[in-house]
Structure formats: structure tokens, C-alpha cells
Amino acid sequence: MWMLIFWVLPLAGITYLAWHLWCLLPLNGWLKAAVITVGVGCFLLMFLSMARKFDSLPLWLASACYNIGTSSIIVMLYMVITFLLLDLGRLVRLVPRDWLYANWTTTGVLTALLIGIFVYGYLHYNHKVRQPLQLTTKKPLQREYKLVMLSDLHLGYHNRRSELARWVDLLNDEHADAILIAGDIIDGSMRPLLEERMAEEFRRLNAPVYACIGNHEFYAGIDDALQFYKDAGICLLRDSVARIGEIAVIGRDDRSQVGRKDLGRLGGAFTIVLDHQPFHLDRTAAAGVDFQLSGHTHHGQIWPVSWITEAIYECAYGACQVGNTRFYVTSGMGIWGGRFRIGTCSEYVVATLKHED
């Protein structure tokens, strides 16, 4: 299944696009071939990046290769959707044949449309949404708590230290009692985090930080990731518990790990669980958890991938409730790959927890 997604479908998409571009572009054969070759080369950069082939390059060049490669798959998706719609229009005789053959007007319109979509997607990604959340409990609390929650920072070649510094400023403005992070702080390579000394930015946070592990920390190398957390002053919870006043915070190991522990039956203090991947919500509810924060889905990052995540996950984004347990699945502060948000948002959650009589 995964081989189909990562290899067969992209290759079919490239073939489909190459044929359409060859027909559409009003250029000579050599120039058409050059355009298509550049496009294929950009796409191949994504696989080289995933294989960590850029770690030996200068940081600026490795970052450029990563961004070009991972953005190309998103650009390709939207080009495929556009040409599929045009082909459908031809089938129902709404789109004349000559619109798709050696046509400067169609080329210009499609280029402008795609540029507009991706400029919007880039600007929208850079806008971080502050998502308020009200939590109440009948369990004893001596005071009101303010908790900042986020997930999926994906720090690396695309989310660099300057971007992290901006996020830290946003979080510090909240003056929270604690900051909770539901995994995937690291994207894939530790090199940008270490070379840019990103741990120093986490040390600027004005509240204690608690986090669970995500699947990407294992891609980066779990030992190096654990050392980074220590250097950053992050309290990493792997099937362990910490206390924030009267609140118990449990961080779970990632579900990809065979040895992760069950929650068991909880009770007493108000309990928050950090679990990166939002699976088996019924089990969390059965354990008596009061609230769970998850991430991982990114809400698909871009439409229409958001439809796929909504089909896969019981709760792909936002707030939901199972039994007496409330859940929030955040779309993430950062992003994997190309820096575009289309039909989704990047966010951090500001939760207020208080006693309810």
C-alpha cells in the first residue's frame, strides 16, 4: 500500500504531467524537454532529501534542495488536479481541444493560477492561529491553569532557527503555567538543529515544557533526539508522568514502538495524556483520562489530502469527545516538507482549565 502511494502514484502523476506539458507548451522540442527535465529533477530531490543525501552540503544549499524537492510533490498534485479537471471538461465538451495544445493563453492562465495558490499557501502557513480551548472539571483544583499546547514543529531544513524564535515569542506572550508538546519536534535530520543551536531558543521559553515522543524523532535518530531534548530543557515523557500543580501529565511513547506501555486505569487528579498519534481513542477513554492532546495528522496540510486524513482517523482535527474523555487533535505548529497550508492552518492551542461546581 505504502509503495503504491510513494512510488507508483507519483510516477504515474509525473508521466501524466509530462505528456500534458509536452502538448500544451508552445515551445520547440528542446525547450519542452528542458522544462520537463527540470520538473522531474525537482521531484527527485524529494527522495534524495528523505534519504538524507544533503547532510554534507552547506546548510543553505541543503535547505534549498529540501524545500524545492518537498514543494515539488505539492505543486505536482495541484497540476495533476488542474489537468484532470481540464480533461473532464473536454469529455463533456466544455473545454475546446485547442486550449490544451500549443496555447500561450492557457499556459499563462495556469501559471498565474498556480502561483496565486502557492503564494496564498505560503502566507497562510506563516500565519499561526491562536486556538482557544476551555476545559472544566469537577475534580478539585485550587486555581485556574493556563496551558499552551502544540505539536509537529518539524524543525529542520525548512523550519529554521529564525522561525522557531518567532514561535517562542508567540508562546512567551501567553505567560502559561506550562507548555505541552505532542511529538515531532524534529523533522528528519538533526544537523540543522545542532548547527543552528536551536536548543537555545527552547531555553528562552518562560514556562516549563513537557513533551511526548513522535515518529519523526526515530527518523532523526532517537539517541541524538533525546540528547537534544535534554539540552533544550524539555521534560520528555515516555510512558511516564509529571505533575503541574494538581494536574497529572502522562506522555506516551509513540505507537510505532513495540514496547510501549498501556495506560491502565487512571483516577484521582485531572489527567492529561500526550499521545502523538490519535488512534484507539476508546482505549484512552476507558482508562479514565480526562483530556488527550495529539497531533501527527497535520489535518492533511493541504486540500484535498485533508479528506484522506478525515477518512483514516476517528478524529483527524479539532475537538471531540469519547465517553467522558475530551480530545484535541491539533493540525500542528509546523509542517512537513513544502511550506504551504491550503485548506488547513498552522496553530497552537491555549487551553484554560478550571474547576466547575
Side-chain angles (χ1 to χ4, degrees):
M1 179 63 178
W2 290 113
M3 290 298 292
L4 177 68
I5 293 172
F6 286 108
W7 289 104
V8 177
L9 290 181
L11 291 174
I14 288 175
T15 303
Y16 177 73
L17 283 181
W19 176 75
H20 262 297
L21 289 174
W22 187 270
C23 295
L24 175 63
L25 295 176
L27 304 170
N28 65 46
W30 286 106
L31 289 176
K32 289 181 182 181
V35 170
I36 293 170
T37 300
V38 169
V40 172
C42 290
F43 176 73
L44 292 177
L45 286 177
M46 182 188 73
F47 292 98
L48 293 173
S49 176
M50 292 174 68
R52 306 274 293 276
K53 298 299 184 182
F54 302 139
D55 283 354
S56 61
L57 297 177
L59 188 58
W60 69 268
L61 182 57
S63 181
C65 290
Y66 177 98
N67 281 297
I68 291 171
T70 55
S71 296
S72 68
I73 188 70
I74 302 174
V75 174
M76 187 186 81
L77 172 64
Y78 275 79
M79 290 180 71
V80 166
I81 291 172
T82 301
F83 281 118
L84 284 173
L85 290 173
L86 289 171
D87 284 341
L88 181 61
R90 281 193 62 196
L91 285 175
V92 298
R93 301 183 183 279
L94 291 177
V95 175
R97 181 182 182 278
D98 60 2
W99 282 15
L100 299 178
Y101 288 86
N103 193 306
W104 274 119
T105 301
T106 303
T107 300
V109 169
L110 294 183
T111 301
L113 176 65
L114 290 169
I115 289 174
I117 288 173
F118 288 109
V119 167
Y120 159 77
Y122 177 78
L123 295 175
H124 188 50
Y125 168 69
N126 284 312
H127 172 66
K128 305 303 176 185
V129 175
R130 182 187 187 273
Q131 190 68 251
L133 183 66
Q134 298 293 325
L135 297 173
T136 59
T137 180
K138 295 187 181 299
K139 293 183 177 180
L141 292 176
Q142 296 300 314
R143 64 179 180 89
E144 182 175 293
Y145 289 87
K146 187 177 186 181
L147 305 170
V148 172
M149 305 178 179
L150 60 156
S151 183
D152 297 275
L153 281 69
H154 285 273
L155 299 173
Y157 285 121
H158 58 323
N159 290 317
R160 303 275 293 277
R161 179 168 177 169
S162 59
E163 184 74 359
L164 174 60
R166 187 169 72 90
W167 301 351
V168 168
D169 292 340
L170 286 174
L171 302 184
N172 280 342
D173 286 344
E174 298 295 338
H175 300 285
D177 291 295
I179 297 169
L180 308 180
I181 306 178
D184 277 7
I185 292 176
I186 301 163
D187 183 59
S189 172
M190 289 298 304
R191 186 247 183 135
L193 285 77
L194 299 176
E195 196 162 313
E196 293 199 308
R197 300 166 66 112
M198 292 193 202
E200 295 175 359
E201 292 298 330
F202 283 100
R203 291 282 184 180
R204 288 202 303 114
L205 288 166
N206 58 14
V209 183
Y210 302 89
C212 70
I213 208 84
N215 55 307
H216 274 254
E217 276 77 15
F218 293 95
Y219 304 157
I222 189 60
D223 291 337
D224 290 336
L226 294 178
Q227 184 60 50
F228 176 81
Y229 282 143
K230 193 174 296 184
D231 295 340
I234 297 171
C235 178
L236 180 64
L237 303 173
R238 297 184 70 184
D239 292 332
S240 57
V241 62
R243 283 275 184 166
I244 304 170
E246 301 147 289
I247 304 168
V249 179
I250 298 172
R252 303 202 67 191
D253 207 345
D254 189 65
R255 75 183 295 266
S256 62
Q257 301 307 296
V258 176
R260 90 163 181 168
K261 299 175 183 177
D262 293 329
L263 280 171
R265 181 69 189 177
L266 307 174
F270 185 89
T271 306
I272 296 175
V273 166
L274 306 179
D275 194 353
H276 180 62
Q277 301 190 43
F279 286 97
H280 305 303
L281 306 189
D282 56 330
R283 298 180 187 176
T284 302
V289 172
D290 295 293
F291 178 81
Q292 177 175 302
L293 174 71
S294 296
H296 185 65
T297 72
H298 297 209
H299 196 200
Q301 292 191 189
I302 57 169
W303 178 89
V305 181
S306 53
W307 287 354
I308 298 174
T309 59
E310 287 166 7
I312 292 173
Y313 297 95
E314 179 181 352
C315 180
Y317 170 65
C320 67
Q321 184 163 341
V322 178
N324 295 321
T325 303
R326 294 185 63 180
F327 296 83
Y328 194 92
V329 180
T330 174
S331 56
M333 187 73 154
I335 210 166
W336 173 88
R339 293 160 56 88
F340 307 112
R341 282 277 191 183
I342 302 169
T344 68
C345 69
S346 286
E347 66 175 12
Y348 60 101
V349 179
V350 181
T352 302
L353 172 63
K354 59 184 179 180
H355 177 74
E356 179 184 54
D357 294 326

